[in-house]
Amino acid sequence: MVVDPARTQLLVVRRADNGAWTPVTGILDPGEEPARAAAREVTEETGIVCTPLRLADVRTLPMVTYTNGDQAQYLDLCFLCEADPAQEPYPADGENTAARWAPLTDLPPLNPRFREQLQIALSDDPAARFRW
């Protein structure tokens, strides 16, 4: 979750594959540190340079079955990141068709997982949330 320092805006992208608005997401490169991957993905997808502040949420996602039959289950790490809203986001790769700062009071439709993670990331609790 990339927010401005005042915590009034969220960086969102519109996915090219399904048209959904989401925060920036991505996958670690082999051997990559998770916080570094979060910042890299933000820059690759939106052109925005951000600073990871803390790990906010840790969960596993449901099993995914690809068209070739391969299956995967991903570990979802949600970081709270901060960036200067004077930076103008744009869809910097082919994964998204739009990128913009959205006021927290007027967000585009986000799925329940992302809404929950945003709430967790913006909470005053400095500890990451885990599921048991």
Side-chain angles (χ1 to χ4, degrees), residues 14-126:
R14 178 168 248 162
R15 293 176 53 115
D17 61 349
N18 63 14
W21 284 100
T22 71
V24 174
T25 63
I27 297 175
L28 296 170
D29 287 339
E32 188 175 29
E33 291 294 332
R36 185 175 304 276
R40 174 187 53 77
E41 286 285 352
V42 170
T43 302
E44 284 180 2
E45 293 189 19
T46 68
I48 297 290
V49 176
C50 72
T51 302
L53 301 177
R54 70 178 180 87
L55 179 63
D57 188 48
V58 178
R59 67 179 74 194
T60 55
L61 297 177
M63 183 75 67
V64 175
T65 302
Y66 293 97
T67 54
N68 67 357
D70 287 351
Q71 292 186 318
Q73 188 168 22
Y74 295 99
L75 180 63
D76 186 26
L77 305 176
C78 175
F79 286 89
L80 174 63
C81 301
E82 192 173 270
D84 181 350
Q87 297 179 83
E88 190 63 39
Y90 60 94
D93 62 13
E95 294 181 33
N96 302 297
T97 60
R100 67 181 177 93
W101 289 103
L104 293 179
T105 57
D106 189 26
L107 292 173
L110 298 175
N111 74 33
R113 176 181 124 222
F114 292 133
R115 285 200 173 273
E116 179 186 18
Q117 287 178 319
L118 178 60
Q119 181 180 16
I120 293 166
L122 293 176
S123 76
D124 291 332
D125 187 352

